[in-house]
Each structure stands twice: as C-alpha cells, then as structure tokens.
Amino acid sequence: MVSLVLRRGLTTMASLKKANKVVCIGRNYADHITELNSARPKQPFFFQKPTTSILLPGQGNVIRPKGVDLHYEVELALIIGKEVKDLDAADEKGALDAIESYALSIDMTARNAQNEAKKKGLPWDISKGFDTFLPISKVIPKSAIPDPHKIELYLKVNDQVRQNDSTELMLFRIPRILSDISKVMTLLPGDIVLTGTPKGVGPVVPGETMYAGIKVDGKELEEAKMAVGVEESTSSYVYAET
C-alpha cells in the first residue's frame, strides 16, 4: 500500500528549512564502505539530521566546532512532494512520482565523534547534527534530472577534486530507499532524503572552500552549483569523548 497525497505548490528555498525531517541513507556506495572500513549493509539503513543543520545558499559558512575532525560527504537529495507510506520496493513509478524536486547536499560529519559512537554503540546524533552541517543547493527542477540513477556528483576542496562518481553506483536504488524508509516512518511533503555518498570523503578545515555540483550527460546543472567555506566556531563548545 502506498498513500500519495498531492502537495500544494512547489518547493522553495525557504520551505526546505521547514521540512518535517531529513532522512539520510548510510553506506550506499561500495567504495565508500571500503574507505571507512565499514560493514556492507544487507538492506538500506538510515539516520536523521535535524532541520536546524540545513545551510541554505548565501547563509554563510559551515562552522567547525572546536575539537571536531570535520569531513564532507556530497549526496543527491530528494525533496518529497507527496505523502509516502508502506511503498512497495518494486513500485518504481510510485517512488519517482513521490519526488517533487532534487537538490545537491553536503552531509558534514564530525568524523571523530562518529567513530567514537560506532565503537561504543552510541547514537550518531552529535556527529551529524551541528548547526550548518547540511549545506544544500538551490532547488533543482525534476525535469532537469530525467534519471536520478544516471548523474555525476562531484566535490572539490579548493581546486582539488575529492569526490567524483555516478549515482549508477548506488547499492540500493531510490525505490528501495523510499520503500524501506516509508515502512518505518511516513514521508511527508517537504521531507528531504539524502541518498548516500560515493568514495572520496575526507577532512576540510577552516579557510578552505568546498565546491560541489551535478552533471547530467556531461553538462553541469546551474542550480546544483555550490561553494561553501569553512570557519572555526567561536562558541564555548569543545568536543570531548563520552
């Protein structure tokens, strides 16, 4: 069973911050699993980032908390346009119809905090949830990406390419992703789903700039172009092991 309720209007940049939730797929590219020495999942697994982590274009830099080993992870984001519940994984049309538009995103991660959490069996919330830890591009019209499984994602730090791979390499495609999420929690209009990151993740430090984008048939999408700097936090927070 799938419940699909039409959403009024189109997604705007301002409305992204009003999403009910941001759901992120982990370990969805084999080479990324290898580089982090992680186990390959038997099914999609997911976690959430708070909507307060969203950083819209023009809203400033990513803020690195003191004591944090900050890493970038470029990902295709799906912006949901209909209510989705208990979607059949074989229903590719239903899955793609549920997507209103796309965006490019960078899932910023406090890698040392995440590594500690994984080692001790603790939640990942701290490692993923800091303010500014989800830079996102302008909204990309659905028509600009005819097939989300055949696009190129890239990310550079300054002038050095760090990530550059095709979404064809996803272990779990979008229908399976949305199916598994929707069997656990209902996806609502405006929700954002991050589909996983390819290999090449790594550190970025204050003073550096991340440039990211999407290419479709070799042509770069203007709406997806991102340039986001990094600066050190001035808050009193300092990461320390639990």
Side-chain angles (χ1 to χ4, degrees):
M1 173 186 174
V2 55
S3 173
L4 298 176
V5 181
L6 287 173
R7 185 185 183 201
R8 292 181 181 176
L10 298 174
T11 301
T12 64
M13 292 309 302
S15 69
L16 290 179
K17 280 217 164 188
K18 297 178 182 178
N20 292 284
K21 54 187 173 289
V22 180
V23 187
C24 311
I25 299 297
R27 304 177 193 173
N28 202 25
Y29 289 78
D31 288 344
H32 172 59
I33 294 171
T34 300
E35 71 183 352
L36 291 188
N37 195 30
S38 297
R40 182 166 176 157
K42 297 177 182 178
Q43 59 190 24
F45 89 90
F46 43 92
F47 56 92
Q48 294 191 52
K49 290 176 79 86
T51 56
T52 49
S53 67
I54 293 173
L55 181 68
L56 299 178
Q59 287 193 331
N61 297 327
V62 169
I63 307 299
R64 184 183 73 172
K66 296 183 184 74
V68 159
D69 178 19
L70 183 64
H71 280 214
Y72 53 80
E73 300 183 2
V74 70
E75 309 197 21
L76 175 66
L78 317 176
I79 302 170
I80 302 301
K82 303 176 181 180
E83 183 180 295
V84 186
K85 183 177 179 65
D86 198 22
L87 177 70
D88 188 333
D91 187 2
E92 183 168 0
K93 183 179 186 302
L96 297 180
D97 284 351
I99 301 168
E100 180 179 275
S101 48
Y102 299 97
L104 187 63
S105 63
I106 307 175
D107 175 15
M108 305 305 300
T109 304
R111 189 68 73 200
N112 50 340
Q114 185 188 45
N115 288 342
E116 183 202 2
K118 289 163 66 176
K119 182 179 179 181
K120 297 179 178 178
L122 300 172
W124 290 5
D125 298 54
I126 292 176
S127 69
K128 297 287 188 175
F130 288 99
D131 290 355
T132 76
F133 265 33
L134 185 55
I136 197 161
S137 73
K138 295 178 180 177
V139 175
I140 303 169
K142 195 171 181 179
S143 59
I145 299 181
D147 185 350
H149 300 107
K150 290 185 178 180
I151 63 173
E152 299 287 333
L153 309 178
Y154 76 82
L155 182 143
K156 299 190 295 183
V157 175
N158 298 332
D159 60 352
Q160 191 172 60
V161 176
R162 300 287 181 85
Q163 294 187 273
N164 187 20
D165 262 321
S166 171
T167 53
E168 287 183 303
L169 298 174
M170 286 184 183
L171 297 177
F172 301 107
R173 291 165 68 90
I174 289 169
R176 176 67 189 276
I177 288 171
L178 295 185
S179 173
D180 277 42
I181 295 172
S182 72
K183 292 178 187 299
V184 174
M185 60 185 77
T186 300
L187 287 166
L188 300 174
D191 284 351
I192 300 169
V193 176
L194 307 190
T195 55
T197 191
K199 69 179 184 298
V201 303
V204 62
V205 300
E208 294 184 320
T209 301
M210 297 173 289
Y211 299 94
I214 290 174
K215 293 181 181 179
V216 178
D217 295 329
K219 297 179 181 179
E220 188 150 12
L221 297 183
E222 285 298 319
E223 299 92 340
K225 287 184 177 179
M226 300 178 67
V228 187
V230 179
E231 64 181 83
E232 190 78 2
S233 174
T234 58
S235 82
S236 60
Y237 176 86
V238 181
Y239 171 70
E241 286 197 11
T242 302

